[in-house]
Amino acid sequence: MLNFIKKQAALLWAKKSVRKAEEFKNNAEKNQEQLLLSLIKHAEKTLFGRTHQFEEIKSVEDFQNRVPVSDYEDLKPYIEKVKKGQRNILWTETPEYFAKTSGTTSGAKYIPISKEGMPYQIAGAQSALFHYIAKKDNADFVNGKMIFLQGSPELEEVYGIKTGRLSGIVAHHIPNYLQKNRLPSWETNMIDDWETKVEKIVEETEKENMTLISGIPPWLIMYFEKLIEKNGKKIKQIFPNLQLIVTGGVNYEPYRDKMEELLGGSVDIIQTFPASEGFFAFQDDYTKEGLLLLTNHGIFYEFIPLEEYGKPNAKRLTLKDVELNKDYALILTTNSGLWAYSIGDVVRFIDKKPHRILVSGRTKHFTSAFGEHVIAYEVEEAMKATLEKYPAQITEFHLAPQVNPEEGLPYHEWFIEFEKEPENIDSFRTELDNQLRKRNTYYDDLISGNILQKLHISKLKKNAFQEYAKSEGKLGGQNKIPRLANDRKIADLLKIYKF
């Protein structure tokens, strides 16, 4: 009886949530401008607000004229003051949390999350589940066990501000009605070593009635492989009631074939777009491509055409200006005190009624050693199309330019870890090259103009990417290996795993 009540309550809440979402879907462009002005008004007396004369800002255009696009380095002097407990710096109060992320030039980054911002992180994930329940008209999974593959929930304090990985912070905010169903145990979640942690998670979950599993694709795959190795069965045989996988962090499509092979049966997938800076989008219809942009979650969005990103006076577009099927650098202003902040993600709109996006890459993850500016979305789509014609199973891949080969013209080198190789690797290589040429005219021109030769494939040994991640201290959690680069830093480290 209790399970029936729980299921019916979930259905009612889901339908209510979906009805409520219609308002922001239909009024996104108008509401975004109102949101920006309210954020500015709230932060008028902060150090950042006084420095940028927030009291003079009356429109989006005023904001863009007074507040330049920033990255972490630009905001770091303000964040250092916040870290020392100073108030009214970027936002009116000190943050409730710092989400600590790994940086490159900046070292560790401390992304502020305000008391106003944190509820939206939780609401984004809840909305994703509610839309799924309403669309499916089925909430069976709420009565089973759920697992969230995430970082350690252990938090340190930086001048009194609780600090940790976003996934660890979120673990402290799981709703009470899910706590009894949630795995792994708190003790297991606290384990830092990822391999040890996954082994323990396998122990705790293999005999349970798992109905929902959440995590980023590479670490879901690692978890599934260990389950299969131990039990000698596919995942749907181990967990026959598994209904739903919630994933995010990276594009799911390149992992789809591998996941389906491991699952061995039908499981619904919801893709989401969360980050330390906010929860931006989720798949509101699990049967369709694209993620619904959350325009009412305390975040004002701007979009810079990717070809202009980083240039002086680059256009800063709002929702009403964007075009479909064009790549934009994503710029955020948030209710946690980030102002015109470049998060580093690239998105493209596939619909404007409502606003649905695809995450097409990273501003810093591209290959353009020869002027081609190939982005992640293009290589992932090229790989997907090639696999449809020449079936194979890919664990992971990385693309890097080879500017100074020992002989012949320069080329793109693809480091690929195959779970199952294609029958004809040469045909696979030719098709992959052709598919990339179709998606990037600059690359096509370089090939046809004999500036570049056809791409090369370097096959890697099993578990190569796991071993690489482990060697770099990036195994587990929310760590992701870039699919492509404009240099050979990762490529040179992957070379030791070549056949």
Side-chain angles (χ1 to χ4, degrees):
M1 185 63 180
L2 184 61
N3 283 351
F4 175 78
I5 293 171
K6 194 173 179 181
K7 178 180 170 182
Q8 291 304 306
L11 284 165
L12 288 171
W13 276 105
K15 289 172 182 176
K16 182 179 178 182
S17 175
V18 172
R19 284 196 301 270
K20 190 176 178 182
E22 291 305 311
E23 191 277 331
F24 88 78
K25 289 181 185 179
N26 296 329
N27 298 285
E29 294 175 8
K30 176 184 173 184
N31 291 347
Q32 275 279 284
E33 183 166 0
Q34 292 174 345
L35 172 63
L36 175 64
L37 295 177
S38 71
L39 294 174
I40 289 166
K41 184 67 177 173
H42 186 86
E44 203 172 85
K45 304 298 184 185
T46 62
L47 176 61
F48 191 92
R50 297 195 306 273
T51 302
H52 294 85
Q53 298 172 305
F54 275 14
E55 75 278 3
E56 302 290 333
I57 296 175
K58 307 300 180 187
S59 67
V60 172
E61 186 178 8
D62 288 346
F63 174 74
Q64 293 175 339
N65 287 335
R66 293 183 183 277
V67 182
V69 172
S70 62
D71 60 15
Y72 189 81
E73 283 296 304
D74 297 316
L75 292 185
K76 192 173 181 180
Y78 294 96
I79 290 173
E80 288 301 312
K81 292 179 185 297
V82 177
K83 282 171 64 178
K84 292 174 182 176
Q86 295 184 33
R87 298 170 62 177
N88 278 318
I89 303 301
L90 287 166
W91 197 241
T92 51
E93 301 291 333
T94 53
E96 186 172 10
Y97 297 100
F98 276 127
K100 189 176 180 181
T101 70
S102 56
T104 50
T105 56
S106 304
K109 296 181 181 181
Y110 293 82
I111 306 299
I113 304 176
S114 68
K115 66 179 180 182
E116 294 92 345
M118 193 64 220
Y120 284 123
Q121 288 278 6
I122 308 306
Q126 287 177 331
S127 294
L129 293 178
F130 284 151
H131 275 72
Y132 170 78
I133 290 169
K135 180 72 178 177
K136 189 88 171 178
D137 197 28
N138 185 336
D140 286 347
F141 71 86
V142 301
N143 291 318
K145 295 290 186 180
M146 308 174 194
I147 186 171
F148 304 89
L149 293 175
Q150 57 193 192
S152 170
E154 185 174 12
L155 304 178
E156 58 180 336
E157 287 204 356
V158 175
Y159 287 92
I161 301 170
K162 293 177 181 178
T163 301
R165 295 283 183 178
L166 176 66
S167 61
I169 293 169
V170 170
H172 292 265
H173 291 266
I174 301 295
N176 289 334
Y177 64 85
L178 291 180
Q179 288 288 5
K180 289 183 180 179
N181 296 53
R182 180 174 170 269
L183 290 169
S185 65
W186 191 264
E187 293 73 24
T188 294
N189 241 351
M190 294 284 275
I191 297 172
D192 279 327
D193 181 75
W194 188 251
E195 288 181 296
T196 305
K197 184 172 184 171
V198 173
E199 294 282 0
K200 189 66 177 173
I201 290 172
V202 168
E203 274 182 42
E204 289 188 2
T205 58
E206 62 183 336
K207 304 298 183 185
E208 297 288 348
N209 177 32
M210 303 302 302
T211 54
L212 182 152
I213 297 175
S214 176
I216 69 171
W219 311 121
L220 289 173
I221 287 171
M222 185 177 178
Y223 168 55
F224 288 162
E225 286 180 334
K226 288 186 179 295
L227 277 165
I228 291 169
E229 182 182 354
K230 187 172 181 183
N231 290 273
K233 300 175 183 177
K234 299 286 188 181
I235 297 303
K236 277 292 282 184
Q237 292 176 292
I238 301 170
F239 304 137
N241 295 321
L242 179 61
Q243 180 182 337
L244 181 62
I245 289 175
V246 181
T247 185
V250 296
N251 184 4
Y252 180 75
E253 290 306 318
Y255 298 94
R256 186 178 291 277
D257 288 346
K258 174 71 172 176
M259 289 283 285
E260 287 179 353
E261 192 270 331
L262 295 173
L263 288 167
S266 178
V267 179
D268 293 330
I269 309 293
I270 299 177
Q271 298 182 58
T272 64
F273 184 15
S276 299
E277 295 82 355
F279 198 111
F280 310 129
F282 64 82
Q283 196 172 4
D284 60 324
D285 185 343
Y286 73 99
T287 66
K288 293 180 181 177
E289 188 178 44
L291 310 180
L292 176 69
L293 188 66
L294 294 171
T295 55
N296 68 334
H297 274 222
I299 301 170
F300 173 75
Y301 301 98
E302 295 176 84
F303 309 91
I304 296 178
L306 189 57
E307 66 272 14
E308 295 188 32
Y309 181 75
K311 295 179 181 178
N313 302 314
K315 293 177 192 170
R316 290 164 64 178
L317 308 179
T318 59
L319 278 182
K320 67 179 186 297
D321 307 310
V322 294
E323 301 174 28
L324 298 182
N325 302 311
K326 186 170 181 176
D327 293 302
Y328 296 101
L330 182 61
I331 310 299
L332 311 171
T333 291
T334 78
N335 61 358
S336 290
L338 299 177
W339 301 99
Y341 184 81
S342 176
I343 190 177
D345 284 300
V346 179
V347 301
R348 65 174 56 176
F349 286 83
I350 61 170
D351 199 349
K352 291 184 70 173
K353 293 183 179 179
H355 294 85
R356 287 197 180 91
I357 60 170
L358 297 174
V359 183
S360 52
R362 296 278 294 168
T363 55
K364 294 181 180 179
H365 295 170
F366 59 87
T367 300
S368 196
F370 314 100
E372 65 276 39
H373 207 87
V374 173
I375 63 172
Y377 184 78
E378 292 166 338
V379 300
E380 289 170 349
E381 288 295 295
M383 178 63 82
K384 181 181 175 182
T386 302
L387 289 168
E388 288 172 359
K389 190 166 182 179
Y390 295 97
Q393 287 182 5
I394 304 291
T395 300
E396 190 53 276
F397 67 86
H398 176 78
L399 185 161
Q402 178 50 272
V403 180
N404 298 304
E406 292 182 5
E407 58 182 59
L409 295 171
Y411 54 86
H412 284 182
E413 184 172 10
W414 291 61
F415 293 83
I416 304 178
E417 182 184 332
F418 288 100
E419 178 75 19
K420 182 181 178 183
E421 289 188 30
E423 288 187 7
N424 189 318
I425 193 71
D426 290 329
S427 297
F428 185 92
R429 172 194 173 204
T430 299
E431 182 67 18
L432 185 57
D433 199 72
N434 288 337
Q435 290 293 342
L436 188 54
R437 292 176 69 176
K438 286 180 184 178
R439 287 162 174 79
N440 188 295
T441 56
Y442 302 109
Y443 180 68
D444 183 50
D445 289 343
L446 290 166
I447 297 290
S448 58
N450 290 318
I451 306 299
L452 297 182
Q453 61 174 298
K454 186 169 65 175
L455 66 83
H456 287 207
I457 291 176
S458 293
K459 294 187 289 184
L460 300 184
K461 298 173 183 176
K462 185 174 175 60
N463 296 326
F465 281 93
Q466 279 190 29
E467 291 301 318
Y468 161 75
K470 187 177 178 181
S471 70
E472 292 292 296
K474 294 181 178 180
L475 185 63
Q478 301 300 305
N479 293 306
K480 297 157 283 197
I481 297 170
R483 282 275 164 77
L484 71 175
N486 202 37
D487 55 43
R488 294 189 62 82
K489 291 177 183 175
I490 295 175
D492 288 343
L493 293 169
L494 288 173
K495 284 193 301 188
I496 65 171
Y497 304 108
K498 288 167 65 171
F499 280 108

